[in-house]
Amino acid sequence: MSRALVTGGRGGIGRAIAAAYEGDAVVLDLPEFDVGSVDAWASVEGEFDAAFLNAGIGIGHEDVAELGDAEIARIVAANFLGVVYGTRECARRLMPNGGSIVATASLAGLVGMPFDPLYTATKHGVVGFVRGAAPGLLAHGIRLNALCPGFTDTPIVEDELRGRLQAPLMSPAFVAEAALRALQDDEVGRAWIVQPNRIEPFRFPGIPGPR
């Protein structure tokens, strides 16, 4: 039976991924497991065929002037370093036979989201890391892609924010379906957009060259 690691596995999307995965899903989540801790990742045991690096938080500060040092460190550790450390550790365990890793970013990793600029920054970091790290991992037979869901019906979407949204919230089960599709993707370094009734890889525009 295949075995997958799922971080943030007790939250809405993570729980849905673990339920949808057709195999043994090993769930890691706070408070027992801190994805931003090197020591926590060093304690992980066993081998895996796949990994869903899904853990993430928002802090809900629109005004950067209000940000405290502890809040900055907390969201960077959870949303970005958790993906970096998780990819490194999972890659080491996948190397003998290869496999697939899906890192949960967000649509906020592709566009600016003014409701939470640090959330936006860390999710941009996840997308950039995935795009940069994927080619090197492919040499070991490991596929790395990002998942970029829009607003989903999870606790991270606070009541105040829900009132500002024009579109309906997606179900975690639909996002989990997209995560499994990204897991099977033969391409690497892609950012899979998940919007209501729509799952597809984002087409990054080319950078203009010199005139």
Side-chain angles (χ1 to χ4, degrees), residues 162-197:
R162 289 169 188 256
R164 305 185 194 184
L165 301 178
Q166 302 299 317
L169 295 173
M170 293 182 294
S171 72
F174 181 70
V175 179
E177 176 188 335
L180 294 177
R181 189 179 300 186
L183 188 74
Q184 301 300 324
D185 193 356
D186 290 331
E187 301 293 327
V188 300
R190 299 213 283 187
W192 280 81
I193 293 173
V194 190
Q195 288 277 58
N197 301 313

Side-chain angles (χ1 to χ4, degrees), residues 12-193:
I13 294 175
R15 184 169 60 248
I17 290 173
Y21 183 73
E22 295 183 355
D24 181 19
V26 179
V27 171
L28 301 177
D29 208 343
L30 290 170
E32 298 88 357
F33 191 86
D34 178 3
V35 295
S37 166
V38 175
D39 292 338
W41 281 108
S43 72
V44 175
E45 298 180 350
E47 294 183 355
F48 302 94
D49 304 289
F52 299 91
L53 304 177
N54 174 73
I57 62 170
I59 55 176
H61 284 306
E62 294 185 48
D63 188 349
V64 175
E66 297 179 357
L67 290 173
D69 293 344
E71 288 178 311
I72 294 172
R74 186 166 69 95
I75 194 169
V76 170
N79 291 7
F80 181 66
L81 293 180
V83 170
V84 175
Y85 295 152
T87 299
R88 180 179 67 178
E89 185 63 30
C90 292
R92 290 169 175 173
R93 295 170 184 275
L94 290 170
M95 274 184 187
N97 301 308
S100 182
I101 301 171
V102 176
T104 300
S106 167
L107 283 187
L110 299 172
V111 299
M113 189 179 77
F115 308 126
D116 193 334
L118 258 293
Y119 182 85
T120 297
T122 54
K123 294 303 186 177
H124 269 72
V126 170
V127 172
F129 173 74
V130 166
R131 297 183 74 196
L137 289 176
L138 186 60
H140 299 290
I142 299 168
R143 304 186 309 280
L144 174 64
N145 286 288
L147 191 69
C148 296
F151 291 107
T152 308
D153 191 9
T154 68
I156 202 171
V157 180
E158 298 178 355
D159 290 340
E160 180 183 354
L161 182 55
R162 289 169 188 256
R164 305 185 194 184
L165 301 178
Q166 302 299 317
L169 295 173
M170 293 182 294
S171 72
F174 181 70
V175 179
E177 176 188 335
L180 294 177
R181 189 179 300 186
L183 188 74
Q184 301 300 324
D185 193 356
D186 290 331
E187 301 293 327
V188 300
R190 299 213 283 187
W192 280 81
I193 293 173

